[in-house]
Amino acid sequence: MTRVDRTQPIAVFDSGVGGLTVLHECLVWLPHEDFVYLGDTARFPYGGRDAADLRERSLAVARHLRDNGAKMIVVACNSATSAALPALRDELGESLAVVGTVEPAARLAAAATRSGRIGLLGTPATVASGAYERALSDVDLTSVACPKLAPLIQAGGELDARVVELEDEYCEPLIAAGVDTVILGCTHYPLVRAILQRALGRGVTIVSSGQAIADEVERQLSERDIENETDRRGSYRFACTGDEQEFRALAARSLQLPVERVDRVEIAERTSERRAA
Ligand code: DGL
């Protein structure tokens, strides 16, 4: 088992800019830690991929992050978490903590609901996985797959009437089901939270996993005794597998913190290719 030490960075990954909503919370909550963010933009979107494909890709990305010195891996993507978290923990969990999105968001939603009727907005992959049904067995869950929403957000265009119309359409079944709490089951969706809240009405509590993940990261760091010194200011950096300029421009808008450099990295598709490399 590889030992990690407290000075190594925490790695956060997603298919695109959605995971920046998680990174944002981590940077605010744990300013003394170093972070590295990876956007697997060459493979975006994850939400339309099947579970086997997502497992294989998530493992390849996580191995890359481990081999590049991460002390913990945050899977800041619901599609990857839903398909791959057990496989990631099986393979890497002994040496590295692996934190996903589903458990923290489900916990928050269970605590927030009064009626026991919860809605889920997610990618087709997340909804099809049934991960939230498994995490929330005692509630009445209405799930809506939103195939067009993350691609629209990732495209980075203006938030116009088209976006509002699309979100109205996705929220409609949740309103019809009378939910009082809605889980944003895709890390891209907090970037359009205001439009969703207007569509759902102010009586509905919207839950996303960012802050809950930051708490979970802090808990795991302390449990494993690998927190960095708290009297320092940590650093953060970015990598992506697609176009780095495009990612930089999008990230700068989404993170609400400076985004300086973005490096482009190659991650081999298959395990055998990686091992041979
Ligand atoms: N942000 C991701 C999620 O939480 C994925 C969006 C996508 O790649 O389709 O599911």
Side-chain angles (χ1 to χ4, degrees), residues 14-19 43-48 76-80 101 122-124 126 147 150-151 154 184-189:
D14 178 38
S15 56
V17 292
R43 302 296 186 289
F44 181 89
Y46 277 8
C77 172
N78 286 267
S79 312
T101 52
T123 65
T126 297
Q154 183 73 23
L184 303 188
C186 169
T187 52
H188 279 69
Y189 302 170

Short mmCIF file of all heavy atoms in Angstrom, two decimals, residues 14-19 43-48 76-80 101 122-124 126 147 150-151 154 184-189, ligand 1:
data_model
loop_
_atom_site.label_atom_id
_atom_site.label_comp_id
_atom_site.label_asym_id
_atom_site.label_seq_id
_atom_site.Cartn_x
_atom_site.Cartn_y
_atom_site.Cartn_z
N ASP A 14 -14.06 15.86 -12.92
CA ASP A 14 -15.38 15.82 -13.55
C ASP A 14 -15.14 15.72 -15.06
O ASP A 14 -14.01 15.84 -15.52
CB ASP A 14 -16.16 17.12 -13.21
CG ASP A 14 -17.55 17.17 -13.86
OD1 ASP A 14 -18.22 16.12 -13.93
OD2 ASP A 14 -17.97 18.26 -14.32
N SER A 15 -16.24 15.58 -15.81
CA SER A 15 -16.11 15.56 -17.26
C SER A 15 -15.85 16.97 -17.81
O SER A 15 -15.39 17.10 -18.94
CB SER A 15 -17.42 15.05 -17.86
OG SER A 15 -18.49 15.86 -17.39
N GLY A 16 -16.20 17.99 -17.05
CA GLY A 16 -16.07 19.36 -17.57
C GLY A 16 -15.98 20.38 -16.46
O GLY A 16 -15.24 20.17 -15.49
N VAL A 17 -16.80 21.45 -16.57
CA VAL A 17 -16.70 22.52 -15.58
C VAL A 17 -17.62 22.31 -14.37
O VAL A 17 -17.55 23.06 -13.40
CB VAL A 17 -17.01 23.92 -16.18
CG1 VAL A 17 -15.91 24.32 -17.16
CG2 VAL A 17 -18.38 23.98 -16.84
N GLY A 18 -18.50 21.30 -14.43
CA GLY A 18 -19.45 21.09 -13.33
C GLY A 18 -18.76 20.90 -11.99
O GLY A 18 -19.17 21.46 -10.97
N GLY A 19 -17.70 20.12 -11.99
CA GLY A 19 -16.99 19.83 -10.74
C GLY A 19 -16.39 21.07 -10.10
O GLY A 19 -16.01 21.04 -8.93
N ARG A 43 -13.70 13.83 -23.19
CA ARG A 43 -14.71 12.76 -23.12
C ARG A 43 -16.09 13.29 -22.71
O ARG A 43 -16.98 12.52 -22.44
CB ARG A 43 -14.29 11.68 -22.10
CG ARG A 43 -12.98 11.03 -22.38
CD ARG A 43 -13.02 10.25 -23.69
NE ARG A 43 -11.79 9.50 -23.91
CZ ARG A 43 -10.62 10.05 -24.22
NH1 ARG A 43 -10.50 11.35 -24.29
NH2 ARG A 43 -9.55 9.29 -24.41
N PHE A 44 -16.22 14.62 -22.65
CA PHE A 44 -17.52 15.18 -22.28
C PHE A 44 -18.53 14.87 -23.39
O PHE A 44 -18.18 14.98 -24.56
CB PHE A 44 -17.41 16.71 -22.09
CG PHE A 44 -18.71 17.33 -21.68
CD1 PHE A 44 -19.05 17.42 -20.34
CD2 PHE A 44 -19.63 17.76 -22.64
CE1 PHE A 44 -20.28 17.95 -19.97
CE2 PHE A 44 -20.85 18.28 -22.26
CZ PHE A 44 -21.17 18.38 -20.93
N PRO A 45 -19.79 14.53 -23.10
CA PRO A 45 -20.39 14.40 -21.78
C PRO A 45 -20.31 12.97 -21.24
O PRO A 45 -20.35 12.01 -22.00
CB PRO A 45 -21.86 14.76 -22.03
CG PRO A 45 -22.12 14.32 -23.44
CD PRO A 45 -20.80 14.46 -24.18
N TYR A 46 -20.18 12.86 -19.93
CA TYR A 46 -20.23 11.55 -19.28
C TYR A 46 -21.68 11.05 -19.19
O TYR A 46 -21.93 9.87 -19.13
CB TYR A 46 -19.69 11.65 -17.84
CG TYR A 46 -18.18 11.58 -17.67
CD1 TYR A 46 -17.30 11.60 -18.75
CD2 TYR A 46 -17.64 11.48 -16.39
CE1 TYR A 46 -15.93 11.55 -18.55
CE2 TYR A 46 -16.27 11.41 -16.17
CZ TYR A 46 -15.41 11.45 -17.26
OH TYR A 46 -14.06 11.38 -17.04
N GLY A 47 -22.61 12.00 -19.14
CA GLY A 47 -23.99 11.66 -18.81
C GLY A 47 -24.72 10.78 -19.80
O GLY A 47 -25.75 10.21 -19.48
N GLY A 48 -24.17 10.65 -21.03
CA GLY A 48 -24.81 9.79 -22.02
C GLY A 48 -24.12 8.46 -22.16
O GLY A 48 -24.47 7.65 -23.01
N ALA A 76 -16.11 14.54 -8.55
CA ALA A 76 -17.05 15.67 -8.51
C ALA A 76 -18.03 15.57 -9.67
O ALA A 76 -18.32 16.57 -10.35
CB ALA A 76 -16.28 16.99 -8.53
N CYS A 77 -18.52 14.39 -9.89
CA CYS A 77 -19.40 14.11 -11.01
C CYS A 77 -20.37 13.02 -10.57
O CYS A 77 -19.93 11.95 -10.13
CB CYS A 77 -18.57 13.63 -12.20
SG CYS A 77 -19.55 13.03 -13.57
N ASN A 78 -21.65 13.30 -10.69
CA ASN A 78 -22.65 12.30 -10.27
C ASN A 78 -22.67 11.10 -11.21
O ASN A 78 -22.91 9.98 -10.76
CB ASN A 78 -24.04 12.93 -10.25
CG ASN A 78 -24.22 13.86 -9.07
OD1 ASN A 78 -24.70 13.46 -8.03
ND2 ASN A 78 -23.81 15.10 -9.23
N SER A 79 -22.46 11.34 -12.51
CA SER A 79 -22.51 10.22 -13.46
C SER A 79 -21.39 9.24 -13.15
O SER A 79 -21.60 8.01 -13.12
CB SER A 79 -22.36 10.74 -14.89
OG SER A 79 -23.23 11.82 -15.12
N ALA A 80 -20.17 9.76 -12.91
CA ALA A 80 -19.03 8.90 -12.59
C ALA A 80 -19.21 8.25 -11.22
O ALA A 80 -18.93 7.06 -11.04
CB ALA A 80 -17.74 9.71 -12.64
N THR A 101 -20.25 12.06 -4.94
CA THR A 101 -21.28 13.08 -4.77
C THR A 101 -22.59 12.56 -4.18
O THR A 101 -23.33 13.34 -3.56
CB THR A 101 -21.64 13.69 -6.15
OG1 THR A 101 -21.94 12.60 -7.03
CG2 THR A 101 -20.53 14.51 -6.72
N GLY A 122 -31.00 14.87 -12.97
CA GLY A 122 -29.67 14.32 -13.19
C GLY A 122 -29.44 13.98 -14.65
O GLY A 122 -30.34 14.13 -15.49
N THR A 123 -28.25 13.51 -14.94
CA THR A 123 -27.97 13.08 -16.31
C THR A 123 -28.65 11.72 -16.54
O THR A 123 -29.00 11.02 -15.57
CB THR A 123 -26.45 12.90 -16.53
OG1 THR A 123 -26.01 11.82 -15.69
CG2 THR A 123 -25.67 14.16 -16.21
N PRO A 124 -28.82 11.31 -17.80
CA PRO A 124 -29.40 9.99 -18.05
C PRO A 124 -28.62 8.88 -17.33
O PRO A 124 -29.21 7.94 -16.78
CB PRO A 124 -29.29 9.85 -19.57
CG PRO A 124 -29.34 11.26 -20.08
CD PRO A 124 -28.61 12.08 -19.04
N THR A 126 -26.87 9.00 -14.50
CA THR A 126 -27.13 9.02 -13.05
C THR A 126 -28.53 8.49 -12.75
O THR A 126 -28.71 7.66 -11.85
CB THR A 126 -26.97 10.46 -12.51
OG1 THR A 126 -25.61 10.85 -12.71
CG2 THR A 126 -27.32 10.56 -11.04
N PRO A 147 -31.12 15.18 -20.39
CA PRO A 147 -29.99 14.95 -21.31
C PRO A 147 -29.39 16.22 -21.91
O PRO A 147 -28.21 16.23 -22.26
CB PRO A 147 -30.60 14.06 -22.40
CG PRO A 147 -32.07 14.19 -22.26
CD PRO A 147 -32.36 14.52 -20.83
N ALA A 150 -26.66 19.58 -19.07
CA ALA A 150 -25.21 19.73 -18.84
C ALA A 150 -24.50 20.16 -20.13
O ALA A 150 -23.65 21.06 -20.09
CB ALA A 150 -24.62 18.44 -18.28
N PRO A 151 -24.85 19.57 -21.31
CA PRO A 151 -24.19 20.05 -22.54
C PRO A 151 -24.43 21.54 -22.81
O PRO A 151 -23.54 22.25 -23.26
CB PRO A 151 -24.83 19.17 -23.64
CG PRO A 151 -25.18 17.90 -22.93
CD PRO A 151 -25.62 18.33 -21.54
N GLN A 154 -22.17 23.39 -20.35
CA GLN A 154 -20.77 23.22 -20.74
C GLN A 154 -20.45 24.06 -21.99
O GLN A 154 -19.33 24.53 -22.14
CB GLN A 154 -20.48 21.73 -20.98
CG GLN A 154 -19.04 21.40 -21.32
CD GLN A 154 -18.09 21.50 -20.13
OE1 GLN A 154 -18.51 21.40 -18.99
NE2 GLN A 154 -16.81 21.69 -20.41
N LEU A 184 -29.93 18.52 -6.97
CA LEU A 184 -29.25 18.79 -8.24
C LEU A 184 -28.24 17.66 -8.43
O LEU A 184 -27.13 17.70 -7.91
CB LEU A 184 -28.57 20.16 -8.22
CG LEU A 184 -29.48 21.36 -7.93
CD1 LEU A 184 -28.73 22.67 -8.11
CD2 LEU A 184 -30.74 21.32 -8.78
N GLY A 185 -28.67 16.63 -9.14
CA GLY A 185 -27.87 15.40 -9.26
C GLY A 185 -26.89 15.45 -10.40
O GLY A 185 -26.62 14.42 -11.04
N CYS A 186 -26.37 16.61 -10.68
CA CYS A 186 -25.31 16.79 -11.66
C CYS A 186 -24.57 18.04 -11.22
O CYS A 186 -25.22 19.07 -10.92
CB CYS A 186 -25.88 16.98 -13.07
SG CYS A 186 -24.64 17.52 -14.29
N THR A 187 -23.26 17.97 -11.17
CA THR A 187 -22.51 19.09 -10.61
C THR A 187 -22.51 20.32 -11.52
O THR A 187 -22.08 21.40 -11.11
CB THR A 187 -21.07 18.66 -10.27
OG1 THR A 187 -20.49 18.06 -11.44
CG2 THR A 187 -21.05 17.68 -9.12
N HIS A 188 -22.97 20.16 -12.75
CA HIS A 188 -23.13 21.34 -13.61
C HIS A 188 -24.32 22.20 -13.18
O HIS A 188 -24.34 23.41 -13.44
CB HIS A 188 -23.37 20.92 -15.07
CG HIS A 188 -22.14 20.56 -15.83
ND1 HIS A 188 -21.39 19.43 -15.57
CD2 HIS A 188 -21.50 21.20 -16.86
CE1 HIS A 188 -20.36 19.38 -16.42
NE2 HIS A 188 -20.41 20.44 -17.20
N TYR A 189 -25.34 21.60 -12.59
CA TYR A 189 -26.61 22.31 -12.40
C TYR A 189 -26.55 23.48 -11.40
O TYR A 189 -27.33 24.44 -11.57
CB TYR A 189 -27.73 21.34 -12.00
CG TYR A 189 -28.01 20.22 -13.00
CD1 TYR A 189 -28.85 19.16 -12.67
CD2 TYR A 189 -27.44 20.22 -14.28
CE1 TYR A 189 -29.10 18.12 -13.57
CE2 TYR A 189 -27.68 19.18 -15.17
CZ TYR A 189 -28.51 18.13 -14.82
OH TYR A 189 -28.76 17.12 -15.70
N1 DGL B 1 -21.13 17.08 -14.06
C1 DGL B 1 -21.43 15.74 -14.36
C2 DGL B 1 -22.35 15.07 -13.40
O1 DGL B 1 -22.41 15.45 -12.25
C3 DGL B 1 -21.52 15.25 -15.75
C4 DGL B 1 -22.13 15.99 -16.85
C5 DGL B 1 -21.86 15.22 -18.13
O2 DGL B 1 -20.69 15.03 -18.45
O3 DGL B 1 -22.83 14.78 -18.76
O4 DGL B 1 -23.01 14.12 -13.72
#
